[in-house]
């Protein structure tokens, strides 16, 4: 399948094809071309999952839908296929695979899928004794066997139900009450994916320990070769790494002028279309959704030119009012209102923190003139009263000559 076709594939088809390649590479010998193709498909799955925003850090396993549970396995599948790559620099392959395994385990831990004893053992690190490590391996092996047995049971149960459904459909129609049995597929599918994730967690811890030991061994061998005085060998390795680094920086500097990161998908309707294969990630989206029009196909597709066509189109309209904007447009408008409200609050806080209210109010020239006239009138009235009432005029009995 060409690269252009991979770009056009929806996420479910990409995951199904990558899962088949992972199963083939795990059960039989690893063909390098097949492994590289699987890594490419899983890398594309990771890009689409991050763009669609299927998972959040504040979610648990109960918040994730059944159709999206399987995409939790993408980092684990990518780690297993990366470990099978045959390259000259084996240490770099191990580091990439270890990074994907740690990413898978940490995300499952956030989703509350990792057992408590595994979390306690990983927090203690190398401080565990030999007996504790042995007990942990035994418990992990038992969980792995239980998960494999449960998956086998679910598969056999589904096959039996399929055979019985076919036989019942051929003999008699489904009666009332029997359709509830067919509605258990959703719960059964969710149980199967959760069991698969639990099995992958057990395998991830075992693979993590194995890859760490291999990396330590290869690092020790490489360090020993460098210490033995093989200067020509070490100098050639350093020169080769320097050339690779310089070439990578030159290519990145040349590509950074023209390449831009893909914008995230913020429209729920467009994301659902991408998931179901009706749209491509590379298509432009303007958040414009036309309201749904009810009526005959001739009225929906054509333009209403006459009054008769307009009245006929109104016959099949719903009794409630249709929305005038999409959810995304309403969200953007609320964000705009919130930004204006925040700017107004910031301006009010700045005015409240300033010292304008501490200064005495400044009066205009007309107010000052009015105050001066009032003071003069008051002074004149007091002078007239003092002229009419001299000092001591009402105390004649107290004067000697009174």
């Amino acid at each position: 399948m060409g690269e252009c076709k991979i770009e056009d594939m929806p996420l479910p088809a990409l995951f199904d094809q990558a899962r088949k390649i992972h199963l083939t590479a795990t059960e039989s010998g690893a063909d390098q071309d097949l492994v590289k193709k699987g890594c490419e498909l899983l890398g594309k799955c990771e890009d689409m999952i991050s763009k669609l925003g299927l998972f959040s850090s504040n979610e648990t396993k109960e918040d994730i839908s059944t159709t999206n549970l399987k995409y939790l396995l993408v980092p684990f599948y990518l780690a297993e296929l990366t470990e099978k790559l045959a390259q000259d620099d084996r240490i770099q392959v191990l580091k990439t695979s270890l990074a994907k395994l740690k990413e898978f385990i940490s995300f499952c831990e956030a989703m509350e899928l990792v057992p408590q004893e595994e979390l306690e053992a990983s927090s203690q690190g190398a401080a565990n004794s030999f007996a504790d490590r042995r007990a942990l391996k035994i418990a992990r092996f038992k969980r792995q066997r239980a998960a494999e047995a449960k998956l086998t049971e679910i598969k056999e149960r589904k096959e039996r139900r399929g055979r019985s459904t076919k036989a019942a459909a051929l003999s008699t129609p489904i009666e009332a009450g029997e359709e509830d049995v067919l509605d258990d597929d959703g719960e059964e599918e969710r149980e199967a994916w959760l069991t698969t994730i639990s099995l992958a967690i057990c395998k991830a811890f075992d693979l993590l320990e194995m890859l760490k030991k291999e990396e330590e061994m290869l690092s020790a061998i490489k360090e020993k070769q460098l210490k033995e005085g093989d200067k020509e060998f070490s100098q050639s390795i350093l020169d080769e790494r320097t050339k690779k680094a310089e070439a990578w920086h030159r290519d990145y500097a040349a590509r950074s002028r023209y390449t831009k990161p893909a914008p995230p998908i913020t429209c729920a309707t467009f994301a659902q279309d991408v998931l179901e294969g009706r749209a491509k990630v590379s298509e432009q989206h303007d958040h414009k959704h036309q309201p749904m029009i009810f009526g005959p196909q001739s009225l929906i597709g054509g333009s209403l030119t006459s009054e008769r066509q307009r009245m006929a189109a109104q016959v099949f309209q719903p009794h409630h009012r249709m929305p005038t904007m999409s959810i995304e447009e309403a969200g953007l408008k609320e964000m705009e209102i919130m930004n204006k409200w925040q700017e107004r609050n910031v301006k009010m806080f700045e005015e409240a923190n300033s010292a304008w209210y501490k200064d005495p109010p400044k009066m205009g020239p007309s107010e000052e003139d009015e105050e001066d006239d009032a003071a003069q009138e008051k002074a004149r009235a007091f002078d007239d009263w003092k002229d009419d009432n001299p000092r001591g005029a009402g105390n004649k009995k107290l004067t000697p000559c009174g």
Side-chain angles (χ1 to χ4, degrees):
M1 185 172 291
E3 185 178 355
C4 60
K5 293 185 178 180
I6 290 179
E7 293 294 333
D8 297 340
M9 290 174 63
L11 181 58
L14 277 173
F15 180 79
D16 290 340
Q17 189 172 356
R19 190 163 179 260
K20 290 178 182 177
I21 294 175
H22 171 266
L23 186 62
T24 304
T26 305
E27 292 180 350
S28 60
D31 184 10
Q32 289 301 306
D33 295 335
L34 191 64
V35 171
K36 289 179 182 178
K37 183 181 178 182
C39 292
E40 183 183 0
L41 291 172
L42 290 170
K44 183 64 180 175
C45 285
E46 277 193 330
D47 294 339
M48 293 189 70
I49 288 170
S50 62
K51 287 179 182 179
L52 295 171
L54 297 183
F55 305 116
S56 177
S57 57
N58 57 355
E59 290 180 339
T60 59
K61 58 184 178 182
E62 286 80 10
D63 301 325
I64 302 176
S65 62
T66 303
T67 56
N68 294 338
L69 269 178
K70 56 186 176 183
Y71 300 127
L72 290 174
L73 296 165
V74 171
F76 172 70
Y77 290 162
L78 187 55
E80 282 200 330
L81 287 181
T82 304
E83 186 267 334
K84 296 181 183 298
L85 288 174
Q87 295 182 2
D88 296 334
D89 194 357
R90 177 63 180 172
I91 296 180
Q92 186 61 36
V93 173
L94 294 177
K95 287 182 179 179
T96 307
S97 181
L98 284 171
K100 290 299 176 182
L101 284 175
K102 291 177 181 178
E103 178 185 349
F104 170 69
I105 292 173
S106 61
F107 198 77
C108 289
E109 181 180 353
M111 295 292 163
E112 300 177 358
L113 292 167
V114 183
Q116 187 64 30
E117 51 189 5
E118 295 284 1
L119 296 177
E120 294 176 357
S122 60
S123 62
Q124 293 177 3
N128 292 336
S129 61
F130 178 77
D132 294 337
R133 290 197 298 270
R134 183 175 179 274
L136 182 64
K137 281 184 175 293
I138 292 173
R140 188 183 301 161
F141 179 77
K142 289 181 178 179
R143 286 198 308 272
Q144 183 174 346
R145 289 300 184 189
E148 291 174 351
K150 194 171 184 180
L151 286 175
T152 305
E153 180 187 355
I154 292 174
K155 184 179 179 181
E156 292 177 353
R157 191 193 315 160
K158 188 180 295 186
E159 291 177 354
R160 287 197 303 269
R161 187 168 63 250
R163 290 194 298 268
S164 61
T165 304
K166 288 181 181 179
L170 292 174
S171 59
T172 56
I174 299 177
E175 298 178 357
E178 293 183 359
E179 65 271 7
D180 298 337
V181 181
L182 302 179
D183 296 337
D184 296 337
D185 291 343
E187 293 295 331
E188 192 175 69
E189 183 182 1
R190 186 175 185 85
E191 184 183 7
W193 282 119
L194 287 174
T195 309
T196 306
I197 293 172
S198 177
L199 179 61
I201 290 172
C202 297
K203 293 181 178 180
F205 277 108
D206 289 335
L207 185 60
L208 187 69
E209 294 178 0
M210 185 182 70
L211 295 184
K212 280 183 178 179
K213 291 180 180 179
E214 186 178 356
E215 185 186 11
E216 291 175 0
M217 291 172 60
L218 292 178
S219 300
I221 293 172
K222 191 172 184 180
E223 186 178 358
K224 184 179 179 181
Q225 289 177 351
L226 294 176
K227 285 183 179 180
E228 285 179 352
D230 194 0
K231 296 181 180 180
E232 296 180 358
F233 177 72
S234 61
Q235 188 63 34
S236 63
I237 291 177
L238 292 176
D239 294 340
E240 184 181 357
R241 289 182 179 177
T242 304
K243 290 179 181 178
K244 285 183 179 180
E246 291 176 354
W248 185 86
H249 283 291
R250 283 196 301 268
D251 294 341
Y252 186 78
R255 284 186 282 107
S256 62
R257 301 175 188 174
Y258 311 105
T259 58
K260 293 182 180 179
I265 297 175
T266 57
C267 176
T269 307
F270 184 56
Q272 188 66 26
D273 292 342
V274 172
L275 275 175
E276 296 177 359
R278 292 190 296 269
K280 302 176 184 177
V281 183
S282 57
E283 292 180 358
Q284 297 293 330
H285 185 63
D286 299 330
H287 294 278
K288 293 181 180 179
H289 304 283
Q290 298 296 332
M292 187 178 297
I293 301 176
F294 294 88
Q297 189 66 26
S298 59
L299 297 179
I300 294 175
S303 59
L304 305 179
T305 56
S306 64
E307 184 69 17
R308 180 183 179 86
Q309 291 179 348
R310 187 184 64 82
M311 294 179 65
Q314 290 179 352
V315 172
F316 298 99
Q317 295 300 315
H319 64 279
H320 56 83
R321 291 185 177 181
M322 298 299 294
T324 58
M325 65 176 66
S326 64
I327 298 176
E328 292 77 19
E329 290 174 346
L332 294 174
K333 199 166 188 66
E334 287 187 4
M335 285 292 295
E336 184 180 355
I337 295 173
M338 182 60 67
N339 291 333
K340 290 182 180 178
W341 180 76
Q342 288 180 351
E343 291 176 0
R344 187 170 66 251
N345 283 350
V346 169
K347 188 175 180 181
M348 291 174 59
F349 287 145
E350 290 178 354
E351 292 179 356
N353 293 330
S354 62
W356 62 270
Y357 63 91
K358 298 180 182 178
D359 300 334
K362 296 181 180 180
M363 295 179 294
S366 59
E367 295 179 358
E368 293 179 357
D369 295 341
E370 291 177 1
E371 287 188 359
D372 293 341
D373 294 341
Q376 289 179 4
E377 292 292 336
K378 187 177 180 181
R380 287 173 185 171
F382 190 61
D383 290 339
D384 295 341
W385 184 83
K386 285 196 297 183
D387 292 340
D388 295 338
N389 300 283
R391 185 178 179 83
N395 298 326
K396 293 182 178 181
K397 292 182 180 181
L398 300 177
T399 58
C401 299

